[in-house]
Structure formats: structure tokens, C-alpha cells
Amino acid sequence: DLYRILPRTGVTGQVDGPDKLGSFEGSIVVSSNGGVSFITQESVAAPEIDVEQSGGSAVAAGQAVNFTNTSVGETSAAKTFIIRNNGDAQLTGIAISLTGSNDPDFIVPVPAETSLAAGASTSFTVSFDPQAAGARAATLQIASNDADENPYDLLLTGPGIIASPEISVLDPAAVDLVDGTAKAALGSV
């Protein structure tokens, strides 16, 4: 786009802005004698990583992602995340890692893409597989060439629980005795 700046009064003609396409930052200087200057600086194309959960809700860098109670030895339902390149240059070097003392409690397959063109996206999933009971946490780090969000960190949390054991008591005729309501004759001695 060419930017055309039209003087208000007293000056005829136009002052041309940048002479090529691209993103520009600048300022307009209008002097008291009617002179107009347009000072520009071309913006450099850059990638911009953004992450959202499936369904479109944005996940800010540093935000906590919470999993619900999950029994030790079980795996939670997977949460799907989408990495988007909202910049105007290639987003490269996309790699996901986990850090922290509970990082084995979270399962993160490798994303399908390690490089995204401007406007492109890729997805990955995270599951919670607690190895012990109690509060569990790890930091998910998404590395890339984004200048101000490398790595893009998410705090993963979830409680590992020990499920209460279920027992079944049968009378001699193999009839299930319901908890708290059934009676059984144990015979006499």
C-alpha cells in the first residue's frame, strides 16, 4: 500500500509515504509553517506463536492447564492444543519438551509439524498419567524462533489419586450382598 498524506491547508499537492508494500511504523511531523514530513521505518517480518486449546480458547504463555483427578495407573482424556503462526514470517524449530520433577506424569506426542508458514497451524495432545498420588506438575515448553516467546511455557497440573478398592462379598449361594443392607446367616457353632 502507498500511504498518501493530504495536508490540511496552505500546502498544495501530496506527500508520499513508503514507495513499496509492507508493514511500516512511523510518525507524521507537521510543522507550524505548513511543512509535512512522513518518517517511516519498515517493520521486519517476524513469526508470532500463539497457542489455543481445541475449541478456540487462547492459552497465554505461562498459563496453568489443569487436569482433573486421575487414578494412579490410569491415563486421562487427552487435551488438544493448536499452535498457530500469527506472524508474517516462517515459524521454525518447533519442538515440545517437558521439565520439572513430575514430567513423566504427562504424555506429549511430537507435533506433526516443526515449521509453520504465516497463518498455518499444527496440533498436539497432552494426557495426564500420574505415577503417584498427590499434586503433580510439570512445565511444557514449546521452542521456536519466536523472538519474544521462546520458549512458550505452559504449566501442567493435576492430582493423582488412589482409587478406593471395590470389594464384593457373596453369600454361599453366590448372591451379591449389597453394602449396608444385606444380612447373611452365618450358621451356628
Side-chain angles (χ1 to χ4, degrees):
D1 294 345
L2 287 179
Y3 298 94
R4 302 278 183 224
I5 302 168
L6 301 174
R8 287 185 72 147
T9 59
V11 178
T12 58
Q14 295 181 340
V15 177
D16 289 337
D19 59 356
K20 61 182 178 177
L21 297 175
S23 297
F24 297 87
E25 295 178 3
S27 43
I28 299 170
V29 178
V30 180
S31 66
S32 62
N33 66 2
V36 177
S37 301
F38 188 56
I39 303 165
T40 64
Q41 177 181 359
E42 186 171 2
S43 294
V44 177
E48 178 58 38
I49 188 171
D50 285 309
V51 178
E52 63 186 47
Q53 276 193 275
S54 182
S57 60
V59 183
Q63 183 174 330
V65 176
N66 304 309
F67 287 83
T68 59
N69 289 351
T70 303
S71 296
V72 172
E74 300 287 324
T75 302
S76 72
K79 292 182 183 259
T80 301
F81 295 86
I82 299 162
I83 300 171
R84 293 194 187 284
N85 178 6
N86 288 327
D88 51 7
Q90 189 86 6
L91 182 68
T92 62
I94 298 170
I96 296 176
S97 62
L98 292 168
T99 62
S101 58
N102 303 137
D103 62 337
D105 293 0
F106 298 90
I107 301 167
V108 183
V110 175
E113 303 293 332
T114 59
S115 182
L116 296 173
S121 64
T122 189
S123 64
F124 67 96
T125 59
V126 179
S127 299
F128 179 44
D129 181 23
Q131 306 299 301
R136 315 299 285 170
T139 300
L140 181 141
Q141 296 184 313
I142 305 170
S144 73
N145 65 330
D146 184 297
D148 64 346
E149 294 170 311
N150 182 25
Y152 195 104
D153 291 343
L154 301 177
L155 176 61
L156 305 176
T157 65
I161 61 169
I162 306 266
S164 301
E166 282 292 319
I167 61 171
S168 184
V169 179
L170 303 174
D171 74 5
V175 174
D176 193 11
L177 300 174
V178 180
D179 183 25
T181 60
K183 295 181 183 180
L186 300 174
S188 59
V189 181

